[in-house]
Amino acid sequence: MSNPDGRGSGPDLELDCRGRPCPLPIIELGRRHTDVDVGGTVAVVADDVAARVDVPAWCRMRGQVFLGEDAAPDGVPRYWVRRT
Amino acid sequence: MHLDAGAGAPLHPAAREVMTAAQERGFADPRALHGAGRDARLLLDNAREVVAECLGLRREEVFFTSPVDAVQRGMLGLAAARVRVGGHVVHSAVEHAHVRHAALWWAGSHGGETREVPVDLRGAVAEADVISHCAGAGVAVAAVQLANHEVGTVQPVGAFPLPDGVPMFVDASPALGHLDLPAEHWSAAAGHATAWGGPPGVGVMIVRRGARWTNPFPGDPAPTDAGGGLPDVPGALAAAAALRATLAEHDEVAARQRRLVDRIREAAAAVPDTDVVGDPRDRLPHLVTFSCLYVPGEALVRALDRHGFGVASGSACTASTLEPSHVLAAMGALTHGNVRVSLGRQVTEAQVERFCAVLPGVVQDLRAEIGL
């Protein structure tokens, strides 16, 4: 099964934001997404419901590419972003 | 400075005197046959006449009730008249919770489902989407608001007929007093007096002549004031006086509010990483919403309050449900760091300038606290 980035492997960077309320997952994404190279992928694992809206909105505002959503092995939503 | 007029505003001065006088003369049951009852009836008829005239309606189309009842009963009365057609309820994804809850309740108890019409980034539905959601069998009623209560965007209500005889319900609760009702293509509507400076407990249910409408709740099948209970006569009269006064000053007030909201939109857009949401032009004149990246909405509301500005927020951390605003979510707008400003009729340019001056520093300080 392919991931939201179209490949089978994991993201280049995964941010564990389980249990952290909004806007902490987005703050983490804002801080850490430059840790990957341009073209690389960052995934935010977050159970906060606002992340489902705010990760794509962050991508739109910051000119990054939202790739989609899948789930971590424990079922927590995982949101994928490609750095531009 | 109160910048949350959408959630409540002081009574319009024109309504205050009327309210006091009406409380002395309009306390009785207007259906009673004695003198005090006749007095109350006269006042209630007068209030109905004024509201109908102000809104371009016939007086027999106007009913006074509570604001929530106006929405629930107005909308579900259209559905109740079509139980044989089906139990599906269509509504825009950005309707007020009163509409969404009523839709879920009706559909769930009538073998139907709710169908949400998506909105674009401005928060508006497309005519074609509303029509396609209504097409096919079993739709009892469609609800599309006149303008959105959180972001101000005006919907294309009244611009087109619905297919298969589906009746349109228009929630105009935040909009009446600011915007006109459309001339056609709707069957029932609801208004809330607080939007035009009337008492917060007064709602107006509008059922158009010729609309098929049956009381969805126990009691008389025809539309009545207060669902057949005792109407708030002083409240209705005060609401009517406030509406007349609001419309008389509307051109001047709306032009000022539009200018001041444009100013706030410009100032908010100049704050880095800020999403100013809603349609910039086709909107309620007095309302603006924006979201600041990386800032908790609750902290923003508290910080602005410390500077003397009372604002609302659609962020999850400010909501009793801890869910972000479904309006912002449906639009794809940033939900955290959200601020909703709604201007009362008396907010001045100097006050708005002070808000615009304070805002960038408040956001910057909150971001600095988290090292961004």
Side-chain angles (χ1 to χ4, degrees), chain B residues 44-65:
Chain B
L44 186 62
D45 285 346
N46 180 244
R48 201 185 317 277
E49 183 87 39
V50 169
V51 168
E53 191 196 317
C54 284
L55 300 179
L57 301 165
R58 299 165 186 274
R59 49 174 190 277
E60 61 270 24
E61 295 176 319
V62 173
F63 302 90
F64 292 103
T65 187

Side-chain angles (χ1 to χ4, degrees), chain B residues 9-371:
Chain B
L11 210 56
H12 194 288
R16 276 181 216 148
E17 218 172 299
V18 170
M19 185 80 150
T20 312
Q23 274 160 343
E24 310 227 328
R25 274 194 60 207
F27 56 85
D29 185 340
R31 296 160 301 190
L33 301 178
H34 46 59
R38 279 196 300 278
D39 272 357
R41 168 123 219 127
L42 206 65
L43 295 181
L44 186 62
D45 285 346
N46 180 244
R48 201 185 317 277
E49 183 87 39
V50 169
V51 168
E53 191 196 317
C54 284
L55 300 179
L57 301 165
R58 299 165 186 274
R59 49 174 190 277
E60 61 270 24
E61 295 176 319
V62 173
F63 302 90
F64 292 103
T65 187
S66 77
V68 183
D69 187 65
V71 170
Q72 293 175 340
R73 197 181 293 270
M75 170 179 158
L76 298 180
L78 296 175
R82 280 168 64 89
V83 280
R84 280 194 213 93
V85 175
H88 300 320
V89 179
V90 170
H91 63 81
S92 87
V94 293
E95 293 300 308
H96 191 279
H98 295 329
V99 169
R100 287 152 43 91
H101 293 160
L104 270 176
W105 179 75
W106 186 266
S109 52
H110 290 83
E113 58 187 30
T114 58
R115 299 180 183 165
E116 286 201 0
V117 184
V119 296
D120 59 21
L121 193 54
R122 298 171 304 130
V125 293
E127 175 181 330
D129 286 338
V130 178
I131 290 171
S132 69
H133 279 68
C134 289
V139 176
V141 62
V144 180
Q145 61 201 185
L146 193 54
N148 187 265
H149 52 294
E150 288 186 30
V151 301
T153 300
V154 171
Q155 305 290 352
V157 175
F160 55 91
L162 297 178
D164 303 324
V166 174
M168 174 76 91
F169 172 76
V170 181
D171 179 14
S173 300
L176 286 190
H178 298 283
L179 301 174
D180 291 334
L181 283 163
E184 53 180 358
H185 303 317
W186 58 280
S187 298
H192 187 175
T194 205
W196 65 73
V202 177
V204 171
M205 178 177 81
I206 301 160
V207 180
R208 301 222 78 175
R209 198 168 70 150
R212 291 184 57 219
W213 190 99
T214 302
N215 185 4
F217 303 141
D220 190 334
T224 50
D225 292 314
L230 184 63
D232 174 6
V233 176
L237 207 67
L243 182 58
R244 183 146 63 187
T246 293
L247 294 185
E249 66 192 15
H250 175 265
D251 290 352
E252 180 208 329
V253 171
R256 181 173 69 240
Q257 289 174 332
R258 207 164 264 285
R259 201 170 60 241
L260 296 179
V261 162
D262 282 343
R263 175 73 188 100
I264 297 172
R265 291 184 73 95
E266 180 190 82
V271 176
D273 291 321
T274 296
D275 201 11
V276 184
V277 303
D279 195 298
R281 281 170 298 278
D282 207 6
R283 58 169 168 81
L284 289 171
H286 65 299
L287 194 148
V288 49
T289 301
F290 56 88
S291 300
C292 304
L293 208 50
Y294 308 132
V295 178
E298 186 181 2
L300 199 45
V301 170
R302 289 189 197 284
L304 287 168
D305 184 50
R306 279 195 295 276
H307 282 89
F309 299 105
V311 299
S313 172
S315 293
C317 49
T318 67
S320 53
T321 54
L322 292 180
E323 295 263 340
S325 148
H326 72 272
V327 172
L328 298 176
M331 294 167 64
L334 191 71
T335 72
H336 71 250
N338 180 254
V339 167
R340 177 162 77 246
V341 171
S342 46
L343 308 179
R345 50 186 282 282
Q346 286 180 306
V347 172
T348 65
E349 187 165 348
Q351 290 163 332
V352 165
E353 283 305 330
R354 198 163 76 78
F355 177 80
C356 293
V358 160
L359 179 67
V362 165
V363 175
Q364 196 179 11
D365 288 352
L366 290 170
R367 285 178 178 159
E369 278 177 31
I370 53 156

